[in-house]
């Protein structure tokens, strides 16, 4: 068992517990309101034994995750937390989420679902909740918190951040956009969702299934864990098998991306000047040498990148190969909304391009050719100057994560 930390929305620290082998397919467990990751312990162990790597996450304000001082528990923050965690995993897990966690997971996967997750399991997801039932559940949670003031394992301030009616309204049009295999698990005696509502929700899913656990109101309870685990493992074996993932023409783009991610690369920042003299740049790892005579290199730029039009038009550009200490630089130039060059040491190179100082190597180039390549374009440069520092180690990227060089 390993404790790991992730960065959530606005820098909130999120904590998770991981069990299972690193190479096994991943499952991300997300609990409900007034719970912690501990509620999944039995399920996590069953999944581990079934050959899964299990990540049990504490939501903000719960368990070992940060309890924000400003009491920020609005729904959108929690949705962005989960999207952030999924982006940091480097692999697409099947997300298993109950009650509040199910709301959060559904909204988080409303867009780009196939890029973030391999599947979704929603347990006891509230739909069209009766206000009286919602009030009763809230009162029950407040009562539990009041029994042990100062010792609760979740922040009771969270309860004031949610309006059940607005949550169900928010999720009314979500199902149609969750483009991954989805299993809805409902307690047959549930008071928070009727079978008709659950069936209607599943019918709107592009690829949905509905199962019920008999003699249960809430499924995530100690005496229903075995039944839940059986449904989970059956779904995983059918829809996210442990065999090697396979991409074929027409499959989702993320599977292709994962296959390409098995090729370990270095990391570069491509830089140039706009016509008005403003430096621009972005992180790219699709970079290769093309020719020694003449000296040519190539870098692939996404057409939708903010800097793409300027890099396509630039007569000169530089490719800066990053060293192990420049991981923050890589993140900075891969992100948005930050003055990238203000926080990065750089200088104007001999041939009029922005050069990041301290890099492993930097290549100043004159544009030789530009070729269209699907959703990217291929920028070919003729190298006019190259500088490098052979005593530094490269920043590496493999299967969605930064890596260090280990010498045999």
């Amino acid at each position: 068992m390993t404790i790991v930390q992730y960065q959530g929305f606005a820098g909130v620290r999120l904590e998770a517990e991981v069990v299972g082998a690193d190479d096994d397919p991943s499952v991300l467990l997300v609990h409900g309101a007034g719970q912690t990751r501990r509620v999944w312990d039995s399920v996590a162990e069953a999944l581990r034994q079934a050959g899964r790597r299990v990540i049990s996450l504490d939501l903000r304000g719960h368990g070992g995750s940060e309890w924000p001082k400003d009491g920020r528990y609005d729904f959108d923050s929690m949705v962005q937390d989960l999207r952030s965690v999924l982006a940091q995993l480097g692999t697409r897990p099947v997300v298993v989420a109950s009650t509040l966690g199910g709301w959060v997971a559904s909204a988080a996967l409303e867009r780009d679902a196939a890029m973030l997750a391999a599947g979704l399991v929603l347990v006891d997801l509230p739909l069209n909740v009766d206000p009286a039932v919602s009030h009763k559940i809230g009162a029950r949670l407040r009562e539990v918190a009041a029994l042990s003031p100062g010792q609760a394992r979740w922040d009771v301030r969270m309860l004031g951040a949610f309006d059940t009616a607005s949550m169900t309204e928010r999720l009314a049009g979500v199902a149609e956009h969750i483009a991954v295999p989805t299993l809805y698990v409902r307690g047959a005696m549930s008071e928070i969702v009727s079978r008709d509502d659950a069936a209607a929700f599943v019918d709107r899913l592009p690829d949905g299934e509905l199962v019920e656990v008999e003699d249960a109101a809430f499924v995530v309870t100690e005496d229903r864990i075995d039944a839940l685990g059986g449904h989970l493992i059956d779904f995983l074996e059918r829809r996210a098998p442990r065999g090697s993932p396979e991409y074929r023409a027409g499959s989702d783009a993320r599977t292709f991306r994962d296959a390409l991610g098995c090729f370990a690369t270095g990391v570069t920042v491509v830089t140039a000047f706009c016509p008005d003299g403003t430096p621009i740049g972005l992180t790219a790892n699709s970079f290769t040498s093309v020719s020694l005579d003449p000296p040519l290199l190539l870098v692939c730029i996404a057409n939708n990148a903010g800097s793409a039009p300027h890099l396509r038009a630039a007569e000169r550009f530089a490719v800066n190969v990053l060293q192990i200490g420049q991981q923050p630089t890589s993140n900075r130039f891969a992100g948005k909304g930050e003055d990238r060059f203000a926080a990065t040491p750089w200088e104007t190179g001999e041939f009029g391009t922005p050069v990041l100082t301290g890099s492993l190597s930097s290549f100043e180039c004159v544009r030789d050719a530009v070729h269209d390549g699907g959703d990217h374009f291929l920028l070919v440069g003729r190298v006019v100057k190259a500088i490098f520092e052979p005593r530094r180690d490269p920043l590496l990227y493999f299967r969605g994560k930064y890596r260090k060089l280990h010498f045999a």
Side-chain angles (χ1 to χ4, degrees), residues 19-255:
V19 296
D22 288 346
D23 292 334
D24 285 339
S26 296
V27 177
L28 176 65
L29 303 177
V30 187
H31 61 76
Q35 299 176 330
T36 71
R37 64 179 188 255
R38 295 271 71 86
V39 74
W40 295 112
D41 282 353
S42 296
V43 169
E45 178 58 20
L47 292 174
R48 184 195 68 78
Q49 293 181 17
R52 303 286 166 162
R53 179 175 181 263
V54 185
I55 304 142
S56 300
L57 177 70
D58 275 332
L59 295 172
R60 65 166 59 201
H62 293 76
S65 289
E66 183 178 347
W67 297 21
K69 292 181 179 179
D70 60 3
R72 184 166 184 179
Y73 294 112
D74 59 279
F75 185 64
D76 286 336
S77 294
M78 302 187 86
V79 170
Q80 292 305 316
D81 281 347
L82 184 55
R83 288 182 61 86
S84 179
V85 170
L86 290 169
Q88 292 169 66
L89 289 180
T91 184
R92 289 182 302 162
V94 172
V95 179
V96 180
S98 70
T99 53
L100 170 62
W103 277 343
V104 172
S106 298
L109 297 179
E110 181 181 8
R111 56 187 177 88
D112 306 324
M115 300 297 287
L116 296 172
L120 174 63
V121 179
L122 299 169
V123 186
D124 296 324
L125 177 69
L127 298 169
N128 300 321
V129 181
D130 185 316
V133 174
S134 175
H135 178 77
K136 183 167 66 174
I137 293 173
R140 188 184 306 156
L141 289 173
R142 286 185 172 87
E143 182 181 356
V144 171
L147 291 176
S148 53
Q151 300 179 31
R153 300 189 64 192
W154 53 280
D155 192 342
V156 72
R157 292 180 299 169
M158 184 204 65
L159 294 177
F162 296 103
D163 174 15
T164 303
S166 64
M167 288 302 96
T168 54
E169 182 179 345
R170 163 79 182 273
L171 296 182
V174 165
E176 293 84 346
H177 304 289
I178 302 177
V180 291
T182 303
L183 175 68
Y184 189 110
V185 184
R186 171 185 177 268
M189 300 170 62
S190 175
E191 62 178 350
I192 65 171
V193 59
S194 70
R195 192 185 193 287
D196 288 345
D197 284 342
F201 181 86
V202 170
D203 285 344
R204 295 197 302 273
L205 292 165
D207 186 1
E209 304 176 31
L210 171 64
V211 297
E212 292 189 308
V213 177
E214 295 181 358
D215 301 323
F218 282 98
V219 177
V220 186
T221 58
E222 195 61 38
D223 59 344
R224 299 331 262 155
I225 286 298
D226 289 344
L228 174 59
H231 288 301
L232 284 179
I233 292 171
D234 173 70
F235 177 76
L236 292 171
E237 292 302 315
R238 289 186 294 106
R239 309 309 305 273
R242 296 189 68 251
S244 298
E246 181 179 276
Y247 173 83
R248 293 181 182 271
S251 300
D252 66 272
R254 178 57 194 255
T255 304

Side-chain angles (χ1 to χ4, degrees), residues 255-277:
T255 304
F256 182 50
R257 179 178 172 181
D258 288 347
L260 294 174
C262 293
F263 181 64
T265 70
V267 183
T268 75
V269 170
V270 185
T271 55
F273 282 112
C274 292
D276 65 0

Side-chain angles (χ1 to χ4, degrees), residues 366-384:
V366 174
R367 185 184 67 223
D368 186 81
V370 177
H371 303 284
D372 289 324
D375 55 11
H376 285 61
F377 64 89
L378 284 61
L379 180 58
V380 181
R382 177 167 50 84
V383 179
V384 291

